[in-house]
Amino acid sequence: MSYCRQEGKDRIIFATKEDHETPSSAELVADDPDDPYEEQGLILPNGDINWNCPCLGGMASGPCGEQFKSAFSCFHYSTEEIKGSDCVDQFRAMQECMQKYPDLYPQEDENEEKEKSSKDLEATPMKASAAKEEKGSS
């Protein structure tokens, strides 16, 4: 005998073998090419932005989702000579919002970035000379 129970926000359904022996009565709906919830990429066939595209990484639905949508829409539809140059205010608002949520939107400090790249550059010649020494000694 199958049954269902609720545990907090979860609904647990137990089904028996007999439940699965009966064919499903679910009807499949034909794909709609204009369905904005279908994974079709970033830009829908009608030219609109697909805010449900996984390529956006959930940015459109986070705490700064409205600011992101505003900035991204402005850039997408921009007709300026330098695309998006008319969207500075929207991108500034998005950046200010993201700075309020550093755990969700981590920003690498410019100084850390410079230190990492300079350390990488310093290490590279050392590795190369060490490799030459190993070749010469063998």
Side-chain angles (χ1 to χ4, degrees):
M1 178 174 107
S2 61
Y3 68 97
C4 179
R5 75 172 191 236
Q6 193 80 23
E7 284 190 14
K9 64 175 181 59
D10 301 318
R11 179 185 291 173
I12 302 170
I13 302 171
F14 293 92
T16 64
K17 183 178 178 181
E18 292 78 26
D19 291 330
H20 290 287
E21 289 175 347
T22 312
S24 173
S25 60
E27 292 182 29
L28 296 176
V29 179
D31 289 337
D32 177 3
D34 295 324
D35 182 2
Y37 299 104
E38 189 69 31
E39 291 183 29
Q40 298 182 18
L42 181 59
I43 307 301
L44 297 171
N46 66 2
D48 289 343
I49 299 168
N50 180 6
W51 297 115
N52 296 311
C53 181
C55 62
L56 294 176
M59 291 290 294
S61 60
C64 299
E66 290 307 310
Q67 291 86 344
F68 174 80
K69 286 180 179 181
S70 174
F72 195 87
S73 294
C74 181
F75 181 83
H76 176 66
Y77 296 112
S78 176
T79 56
E80 292 296 310
E81 175 97 16
I82 299 174
K83 189 169 180 80
S85 61
D86 53 334
C87 306
V88 173
D89 292 337
Q90 289 90 334
F91 277 98
R92 184 174 291 124
M94 180 182 77
Q95 184 179 20
E96 288 171 1
C97 179
M98 291 173 148
Q99 289 172 343
K100 294 177 188 175
Y101 302 93
D103 293 342
L104 293 174
Y105 307 105
Q107 296 178 7
E108 197 165 324
D109 186 29
E110 287 182 27
N111 293 333
E112 287 178 21
E113 202 171 288
K114 287 178 185 176
E115 287 175 20
K116 284 181 186 176
S117 62
S118 65
K119 284 180 183 176
D120 289 344
L121 290 174
E122 289 171 8
T124 303
M126 295 170 120
K127 289 178 186 174
S129 62
K132 285 180 184 176
E133 287 176 18
E134 284 179 23
K135 274 188 173 179
S137 64
S138 37

